[in-house]
Structure formats: C-alpha cells, structure tokens
Amino acid sequence: ETALANAKRLREQFPDDPHLGDIECLAHQWVGEHDVALACAMSRFRETPSQEGTRAELQLLLGETWETLGDRSQALEHYDRAAASVGAFRGPAPGVDSARYAALRLRADAPELQRLAADARSRPLDPVDWMIADTLARTGLRADALAVYRAMGVADLFRTESREKEYAMPGLA
C-alpha cells in the first residue's frame, strides 16, 4: 500500500506526467484492487490515443488484470495486442515477452510451447530469460522449465553479487 500511496502522491505532484498514471494503475493491481486497476487502465487507455508505448504497456496491464479477474478471453485479447506492439514498449522489451508468454501460457498450445522449449535449449540463456522457464513450468512442462533455469545459471547467480538478480527474482518468486 506504500507503493500506491507514493504513486498517488507523485501523480498529484506531477499531474501532466503520463507515466505516473500508468504506475498508479499498476499499484492498484499490486495491492489487490483489481477492479480499480482495470477501471484505471481502461481510463488511461482512452486518454492516451497517440502514445503507442504507453498504450502497449496498458494493454499488458489490462491483460494481467483481466486474467486475475478470471476473464481469459479478455486477457488473451489484451495480451495479443500488447505482444503485437513490438518496439512500442519503453526501454528494454520485457513487456513484449511478458505479453507473448502470458498469451502462450493461457492458450496452453502444446506445439508452440515445445518450440519455445526447443528454442531455449538451442541458445545461451541468462537470468532475464526467467519468463521462458515460468511459462513452461506453469503449463506443466516442468522438466523443460528446470532445464531452462539450469541453463540460465540461476544457482550460480545467488553465489555472486550479480546485477542480474533483480531481473531473475520475479521468476523465482
């Protein structure tokens, strides 16, 4: 709830910053106010018609919120839209991956999941690839998920002072 209070305070201090509105919506999701997060994200989505990066991130949040609320079809629709927004996300593109893997996980498309596992086994991996292992594990492909975690070097990561810990932690939680 501290994050939500901070987001609201920052929004009041900087009302014209479009990214703070997104953070406030996300904070509602974090504290379990999913209906408020959904209304917030939908409102923000309508308010930002020309800001492609913001819209892509809001699509991802809408997908996550709809999934939490139990509406798989709405979640898939928004995940697919977010995943199609390659290049629209601000900064590195974990949002595109999050959306793509979430849609894949909800569809439980066995051939596509097998392709994902094969692709992961065919290349070097690092801790930022945790979403691959998470997707595989959450769809029942636990042996493939463990292989990905091992290839990422997760066990070694915690024996060092690696800067990659923060990127890997969501996948280990």
Side-chain angles (χ1 to χ4, degrees):
E1 293 191 12
T2 301
L4 180 57
N6 287 341
K8 287 180 177 181
R9 180 181 49 77
L10 287 170
R11 182 97 159 118
E12 289 171 7
Q13 289 177 329
F14 306 100
D16 297 329
D17 187 318
H19 307 298
L20 290 175
D22 301 351
I23 292 169
E24 184 177 347
C25 297
L26 185 59
H28 284 290
Q29 176 79 341
W30 288 341
V31 299
E33 296 176 353
H34 307 297
D35 54 339
V36 177
L38 182 65
C40 178
M42 290 174 82
S43 174
R44 295 279 306 132
F45 192 79
R46 285 189 297 273
E47 293 170 5
T48 57
S50 64
Q51 297 172 347
E52 191 176 340
T54 299
R55 291 177 64 82
E57 291 178 8
L58 287 168
Q59 288 284 11
L60 177 58
L61 176 59
L62 284 165
E64 291 168 345
T65 306
W66 278 117
E67 183 178 1
T68 300
L69 292 171
D71 192 326
R72 291 172 58 93
S73 66
Q74 284 284 349
L76 274 170
E77 179 182 331
H78 292 286
Y79 284 145
D80 286 341
R81 287 182 188 170
S85 301
V86 175
F89 284 86
R90 297 183 292 259
V96 171
D97 288 339
S98 292
R100 185 176 136 233
Y101 296 142
L104 183 59
R105 179 178 42 75
L106 284 182
R107 283 192 179 90
D109 180 342
E112 192 61 34
L113 288 162
Q114 290 297 331
R115 272 192 286 284
L116 177 64
D119 174 63
R121 286 190 302 269
S122 73
R123 62 183 174 86
L125 297 170
D126 62 41
V128 298
D129 292 313
W130 69 266
M131 285 183 272
I132 296 169
D134 183 67
T135 300
L136 295 170
R138 292 175 70 188
T139 54
L141 299 172
R142 288 174 182 80
D144 290 312
L146 284 172
V148 170
Y149 277 123
R150 287 182 182 122
M152 287 173 16
V154 170
D156 297 329
L157 180 68
F158 292 94
R159 292 185 195 123
T160 68
E161 289 301 317
S162 173
R163 65 176 185 77
E164 308 245 333
K165 285 181 184 175
E166 72 176 279
Y167 301 112
M169 287 307 294
L172 299 175

